[in-house]
Amino acid sequence: MTALLHRVKSKMFIFAHRKARGLLDGEYGSVFKGRSLDFDDLRAYVPGDEVRDIDWKASARHGSPLIRRYVAVRQQQVLLVVDTGRNMAAESLGGEPKKDIAVMALGVLGSLALNHGDPVGLVHGDATGTQALPVKAGDANLERILRKVDDVGRHSAPSAPGEQLGFVERTFRRRMLLFVVADEGAVAETTERQLRRLRAQHEILWLTIRDADLTAPAPAADPAGRGTVLRDVVGRAAVVHPVAASPKVLAAYQLARTERDASRSAMLRRAGITEGYAGSSHEVVPAIFSLLESHRRGG
């Protein structure tokens, strides 16, 4: 197995026990598998499943409810849409670079898709332009996708998620599942209009990567006595740390962050898009499970 994909799957084994991984795989299947008359297999019942899908005889033998799944009536194409601008080089809430969480999320969702026979493609970019990798099956293709995202650095151009969404809107006409990964940055009105049009054409899942907490205590100095200087990845200006040093600044910071989150979440709800959150690689598996479950229930 190739390097980045191997790392993703290794973390999946660490962060989720066997039953949880099975439920995650089943949740993907229950959401995006079509219904036909051809029986496929059984999986554990998850609250919210249709009662009519319970196989009562198999459940009695097993001792717990089992759901009947059916062969898909069509193949689902999955398009991973991710910001690979400079914002993704910044620190996340859990202390990792945001790109590492993006790689984990794309690897998990991509692996689920490939396990179900669904090919995966990529749209990524920044303010200078957008690039795409074709929708294909196979671990080698998913590895190429993960490497593109892993190349993000502070040398990258500024982020502009609206550019990538516009590219998807202009380029992809066939109905697909779009898995969008971006950070907490405010979403412009033009992006909302794009998302409304995209949602009319595609299924959309949105994962927001949480920003670093600037109210946390400052990092410890190194042995030479030099403190760690935080810098904004966009303008390279030094960031005063912690924000909580001033009660007024702290209050203004928390208010601005709350308003930004509320604005983004409300915009996504209006567009009919399911949103999830992850502040670290450890949170990716449960976040994707919750996303799939919420999407299956209609948001």
Side-chain angles (χ1 to χ4, degrees), residues 231-250:
R231 294 191 179 275
D232 176 70
V233 296
V234 177
R236 302 300 300 151
V239 177
V240 177
H241 194 86
V243 172
S246 165
K248 289 184 178 180
V249 173
L250 172 61

Side-chain angles (χ1 to χ4, degrees), residues 77-201:
Q77 290 196 347
V78 177
L79 189 63
L80 308 175
V81 184
V82 61
D83 167 24
T84 50
R86 199 179 302 158
N87 283 11
M88 284 307 218
E91 186 177 300
S92 67
L93 182 61
E96 305 165 80
K98 293 179 187 176
K99 71 167 186 176
D100 289 356
I101 302 174
V103 167
M104 181 69 182
L106 299 175
V108 170
L109 200 285
S111 295
L112 289 173
L114 293 179
N115 288 345
H116 285 264
D118 298 338
V120 178
L122 173 70
V123 168
H124 72 102
D126 50 41
T128 64
T130 300
Q131 300 176 34
L133 290 179
V135 177
K136 292 183 179 180
D139 284 354
N141 182 56
L142 183 53
E143 176 71 18
R144 284 192 293 272
I145 287 172
L146 300 184
R147 287 190 180 278
K148 286 290 185 182
V149 180
D150 193 54
D151 284 342
V152 174
R154 295 180 181 179
H155 59 278
S156 302
S159 296
E163 294 293 327
Q164 285 71 65
L165 294 173
F167 178 87
V168 173
E169 183 184 357
R170 295 188 302 272
T171 308
F172 296 91
R173 300 301 180 187
R174 177 177 176 177
R175 189 169 183 81
M176 309 173 81
L177 165 64
L178 308 184
F179 181 49
V180 182
V181 178
D183 71 355
E184 290 184 352
V187 181
E189 291 182 5
T190 53
T191 303
E192 179 170 354
R193 291 195 293 270
Q194 287 173 336
L195 286 174
R196 286 180 178 275
R197 293 192 294 267
L198 285 167
R199 180 62 183 85
Q201 179 66 26

